[in-house]
Amino acid sequence: MHKVVISGTGVFTPELSISNAELVEAFNSYATRQNEIHADEIAAGTRAPMTMSAEDFIVRASGIERRYVLDKSGILDPAVMHPVLPERSDDALSVMAEMAVKAATAALAKAGRTAGDVDAVICAASNHERPYPAIAIEVQEALGIQGFGFDMNVACSSATFGIQAAADMIRSGSARAILMVNPEICSAHLEWRDRDCHFIFGDVCTAVLLERDDLATAPDRFEIISTRCLTQFSNNIRNNNGFLRRTREGHMTDRRDMLFRQEGRKVFKQVVPIVSDLILTHLADENVAPAHLSRLWLHQANKGMNDLIGSKVLGREPEAGEQPNILQDYANTSSAGSIIAFSKYSDDLAPGSLGVICSFGAGYSVGSVIVKKV
């Protein structure tokens, strides 16, 4: 069995960003217009008026201050309220593949590798822009990688589950190096017309190169000590869109359940103990004391949730730098969040430092990866 290391990471960040102020202005314009259109129903008590959003409400609820998106014009247009991404021909590189190639190129450069050193591509993301052919195979073709590729989806835990899948294949000898990419176009499956969630998501793509330790040449790399995954079914985070939609009468209309929706308070209450228990059990099984951890790179969904998980795992409030947050700038980027944090806040660690990459989300799903700086 081969030792596996993370030898390179890359992050593609869109050029456009939306501040909370811009978002609130657009949402409140939309809400005001809807209240005017339905004024008679609201006056009759048969329809509740839409509640206005506010910058302080968003920061207090999530810790998010801005988010990067592929398109902001449609999102900020009260008459549209979703990104506008033009259709591409079948012969053109897809949006997800384009994002993935950019992040993957950065990861390969950091690892000092080329496409010829890679045997497979895993595209792990919460939503894929088409069922087939696999985005991973398109990325493989675009980069010139010989081998194989496949897509996988475990919602916000896709990246950590992807790391486990790649690590297992490399350990067993079925691949030397695997590129795992996470192109997340979260803006396209977010309901921007819903006050309770219109601020949550942003777009980004991350990439992780995993390879055999004895073949790796990157001076800064992290050995994967152990991985652990857990799932527990819940409807509290759900998206009902899919190919069966057209087989059901009325389902092709504008339906709220065809986009991201969640019971936020239930998710917070239920997920925090699940994640905390999994990390602590994982550490105990590997004889790693929480006090020996130098860093936690957690899923970037909600600052309050991360703070509480960090406190439960470490047994105290995390100190500055022990649990880096990036969601204030990126918002929730689904599976990519913990990888952004890892990519941006790992180079400074000394050799021998231990850390945990952990993501969690719909399913429920939780993925934990214990790593050590080589």
Side-chain angles (χ1 to χ4, degrees), residues 142-223:
L143 291 172
I145 293 172
Q146 300 298 313
F148 63 94
F150 61 89
D151 292 349
M152 61 183 295
N153 176 359
V154 202
C156 293
S157 295
S158 295
T160 48
F161 278 59
I163 288 174
Q164 169 155 325
D168 286 348
M169 285 188 282
I170 295 169
R171 285 192 188 101
S172 66
S174 60
R176 299 166 301 162
I178 297 177
L179 191 62
M180 194 276 301
V181 296
N182 321 107
E184 293 287 7
I185 313 176
C186 299
S187 64
H189 61 92
L190 175 61
E191 179 52 274
W192 297 93
R193 300 171 297 180
D194 186 334
R195 174 185 177 271
D196 289 340
C197 71
H198 77 112
F199 53 87
I200 289 180
F201 286 118
D203 301 332
V204 79
C205 182
T206 50
V208 177
L209 182 68
L210 301 96
E211 57 181 321
R212 282 171 44 177
D213 184 45
D214 61 327
L215 300 178
T217 59
D220 292 324
R221 57 188 190 268
F222 284 81
E223 180 186 351

Side-chain angles (χ1 to χ4, degrees), residues 337-357:
S338 59
I339 306 301
I340 301 173
F342 176 74
S343 181
K344 289 183 175 291
Y345 297 98
S346 58
D347 289 345
D348 63 309
L349 294 180
S353 298
L354 291 166
V356 173
I357 304 171

